[in-house]
Amino acid sequence: GQQVMQIPQYQHVQEGEDFTTYCNSSTTLSNIQWYKQRPGGHPVFLIQLVKSGEVKKQKRLTFQFGEAKKNSSLHITATQTTDVGTYFCSTGTASKLTFGTGTRLQVTL
Amino acid sequence: NAGVMQNPRHLVRRRGQEARLRCSPMKGHSHVYWYRQLPEEGLKFMVYLQKENIIDESGMPKERFSAEFPKEGPSILRIQQVVRGDSAAYFCASSREGQVFGEQYFGPGTRLTVT
């Protein structure tokens, strides 16, 4: 089945710094989703990307799908403490999502 | 508008006992998915169900695990004769027919501890 790898596993930033997590696949993906999971919480859907080279923005978050549809990134500008959590990418078929291992973001003042 | 409901939120079972996890999807959602998350790991797909049908159970262990989504009532994930390795968070997610593909709504999860 399809697999997606995420890097880094963990990132610690100071509030105000930028943050980027990357999602990579060895095969072409038809879609990518990004989810956020707060500590002790459940995954929350953020966005879906389906087009080659697609870029979407949500306030301070920028999501990108690579031209070859084999990678994706999530960039957060000027992190805040509310951004703390684990960010997962996933890719789906008709019946299920395959999740990456996640990037855990820690933000300190 | 209630979200996905799961109960219990925490469940403690001794080895060999049975665990029953319940999931009520969001109103209007007919697709239910179960995922397992081990500590500090990602989510692993287990099973996808629609009302009275198992559509994809490729992620379910071959033994001791079963799932159902009856015509009436919640979806149930059942684990028989639990072992320590079953300790994990079990998340249910739902989606509706025709929803943006890949957009699933997750419940708060059931944290299962096997002692």
Side-chain angles (χ1 to χ4, degrees):
Chain A
Q2 290 183 318
Q3 287 192 329
V4 285
M5 306 297 292
Q6 272 186 265
I7 53 170
Q9 275 191 309
Y10 174 77
Q11 182 121 33
H12 186 175
V13 300
Q14 289 203 315
E15 192 177 43
E17 291 181 334
D18 291 356
F19 159 77
T20 305
T21 173
Y22 301 90
C23 184
N24 300 302
S25 171
S26 57
T27 59
T28 303
L29 304 171
S30 58
N31 55 75
I32 278 278
Q33 300 82 35
W34 285 93
Y35 283 80
K36 176 184 178 182
Q37 184 176 23
R38 288 206 162 96
H42 59 276
V44 174
F45 175 81
L46 295 176
I47 205 111
Q48 174 165 266
L49 306 168
V50 297
K51 297 177 185 174
S52 168
E54 190 170 13
V55 177
K56 288 188 178 180
K57 294 192 175 186
Q58 289 179 351
K59 298 183 180 176
R60 293 179 295 104
L61 278 60
T62 301
F63 305 85
Q64 194 161 8
F65 201 5
E67 293 288 343
K69 300 181 78 173
K70 288 186 177 181
N71 54 70
S72 179
S73 65
L74 158 58
H75 179 83
I76 303 179
T77 303
T79 54
Q80 299 174 359
T81 54
T82 52
D83 296 324
V84 164
T86 301
Y87 293 83
F88 292 99
C89 66
S90 64
T91 187
T93 65
S95 60
K96 65 188 177 189
L97 295 178
T98 299
F99 283 84
T101 47
T103 295
R104 188 153 63 99
L105 173 63
Q106 180 63 34
V107 180
T108 51
L109 294 170
Chain B
N1 188 14
V4 179
M5 313 261 293
Q6 286 189 252
N7 67 80
R9 296 288 300 275
H10 299 274
L11 182 61
V12 179
R13 283 287 178 264
R14 289 198 181 96
R15 278 180 298 169
Q17 291 184 319
E18 178 179 289
R20 280 187 178 235
L21 289 60
R22 293 174 191 77
C23 168
S24 296
M26 282 183 70
K27 189 176 180 180
H29 286 198
S30 56
H31 301 236
V32 167
Y33 314 80
W34 285 93
Y35 294 86
R36 176 162 64 177
Q37 185 175 38
L38 294 170
E40 306 298 321
E41 291 191 12
L43 295 99
K44 297 284 191 253
F45 168 80
M46 299 181 76
V47 63
Y48 162 44
L49 310 102
Q50 294 179 20
K51 283 285 186 182
E52 300 185 281
N53 283 308
I54 297 175
I55 308 300
D56 183 341
E57 57 181 347
S58 58
M60 288 279 269
K62 293 286 184 280
E63 297 175 347
R64 302 186 298 107
F65 285 72
S66 62
E68 62 175 2
F69 189 15
K71 188 176 180 181
E72 301 290 337
S75 175
I76 307 281
L77 179 67
R78 182 180 176 211
I79 312 173
Q80 294 179 289
Q81 299 175 326
V82 295
V83 301
R84 288 225 172 97
D86 296 333
S87 294
Y90 292 83
F91 289 97
C92 163
S94 73
S95 67
R96 58 175 166 75
E97 200 72 42
Q99 186 166 311
V100 171
F101 174 75
E103 182 175 355
Q104 297 182 5
Y105 294 85
F106 282 78
T110 294
R111 270 98 180 144
L112 172 66
T113 303
V114 179
T115 61

